Amino acid sequence: MAVHCIVPARMGSSRYPGKPLVKIAGKEMIVRTLERALLAECFERIVCATDDEKIAEVVSRAGFEFILTGPASTGSDRVAEAARALDLDLVVNLQGDEPLVEPDLLADVARELERHPDCWVTVACPLNPAESMAKTVVKVRVEGDYAVDFTREVSEAEAHLWFQHQGIYAYSRVAREEFSALPQSNIELERSLEQMRILGRRPIRIVRSPYMSVSVDVPSDVFAVERLLKKGGKVK
């Protein structure tokens, strides 16, 4: 079955307003992220879902497809709206602040979704113990092949029990619609983690990556990404 990729992007990030259009080594971050999805060579369709015409213009100028959506509480809500309008079933949600995501990892996620369309699928990668208390680095607790908890802070003594969560989700139409029909939960709002809305209702399967995730959450992350681009873009 065909798997598609939707990259949600908005200008109103509370930690870094306007970050989809920040230039990384001369190219907008949203364009770099879309290019990584293209390199995966596993998607029937790649679409940026945004509520901002400036983002849409940049995406279109770079040769990628976009769809304008309304306001959304979370990236997955935005993806659900876009996928519904485009009549898509299996979708990988690649968050727009992942300009160094490994194309092979995206292909692994797409395959896992094809095998387990009844589940959510997401990614766990190595956690740097020094970032155990960093709220911008989301942590995931894994048992077997499944996520059992997500949080933003863990003690350094417990860091070895956790992985870093990478900003990729994958789900079928049924799983997406279930999510978007639910109200935001208290724990979702408290932790500012959308996946908490579905955790415990539907299994979340984990694809493990050997590479540390380097997403752009604050302005200083741009310099880290630019340094890694010069070295080939991988952190292992």
Side-chain angles (χ1 to χ4, degrees):
M1 185 178 291
V3 180
H4 313 272
C5 181
I6 297 181
V7 181
R10 65 189 181 100
M11 294 291 277
S13 168
S14 58
R15 288 188 293 270
Y16 193 173
K19 72 176 180 176
L21 298 186
V22 67
K23 289 197 174 180
I24 298 175
K27 187 180 294 185
E28 293 87 351
M29 180 173 66
I30 185 62
V31 175
R32 288 198 175 275
T33 303
L34 289 162
E35 288 177 341
R36 300 299 275 191
L38 188 62
L39 287 172
E41 297 183 338
C42 64
F43 299 120
E44 182 82 8
R45 195 171 181 182
I46 299 170
V47 183
C48 175
T50 183
D51 59 0
D52 188 273
E53 292 187 359
K54 290 181 181 178
I55 294 175
E57 181 182 348
V58 167
V59 166
S60 180
R61 194 165 59 239
F64 290 96
E65 185 180 359
F66 71 87
I67 183 170
L68 288 171
T69 66
S73 301
T74 70
S76 288
D77 288 302
R78 190 179 307 283
V79 167
E81 179 186 343
R84 193 180 305 121
L86 297 169
D87 193 26
L88 306 181
D89 188 358
L90 302 185
V91 167
V92 172
N93 166 359
L94 171 60
Q95 293 180 25
D97 56 5
E98 290 277 348
L100 293 182
V101 63
E102 286 298 317
D104 288 349
L105 177 61
L106 293 176
D108 288 344
V109 170
R111 282 191 292 268
E112 190 72 4
L113 177 60
E114 287 182 290
R115 287 193 289 261
H116 301 280
D118 56 322
C119 298
W120 274 43
V121 179
T122 194
V123 176
C125 58
L127 173 64
N128 180 351
E131 296 183 320
S132 61
M133 296 295 290
K135 291 185 177 181
T136 57
V137 177
V138 179
K139 291 83 178 174
V140 55
R141 185 78 174 265
V142 180
E143 291 183 4
D145 295 323
Y146 296 92
V148 295
D149 198 10
F150 296 85
T151 191
R152 290 188 175 273
E153 295 177 87
V154 297
S155 69
E156 193 167 343
E158 293 187 332
H160 67 284
L161 300 173
W162 294 78
F163 292 85
Q164 182 176 345
H165 177 237
Q166 190 163 354
I168 304 168
Y169 300 107
Y171 19 49
S172 67
R173 186 195 312 266
V174 170
R176 262 190 329 272
E177 293 299 336
E178 175 187 35
F179 171 86
S180 64
L182 292 169
Q184 288 187 282
S185 66
N186 290 335
I187 193 167
E188 173 189 358
L189 294 169
E190 178 186 329
R191 298 186 185 181
S192 189
L193 295 174
E194 64 201 68
Q195 59 271 39
M196 299 306 296
R197 194 188 314 177
I198 204 71
L199 185 67
R201 288 178 173 267
R202 187 172 288 268
I204 302 179
R205 286 188 66 87
I206 291 293
V207 173
R208 299 182 190 231
S209 169
Y211 302 108
M212 288 186 177
S213 172
V214 184
S215 60
V216 176
D217 294 297
V218 293
S220 59
D221 291 335
V222 172
F223 303 108
V225 169
E226 288 180 330
R227 285 195 299 270
L228 286 168
L229 280 171
K230 292 178 182 178
K231 297 178 180 178
K234 294 182 180 180
V235 185
K236 194 171 183 178

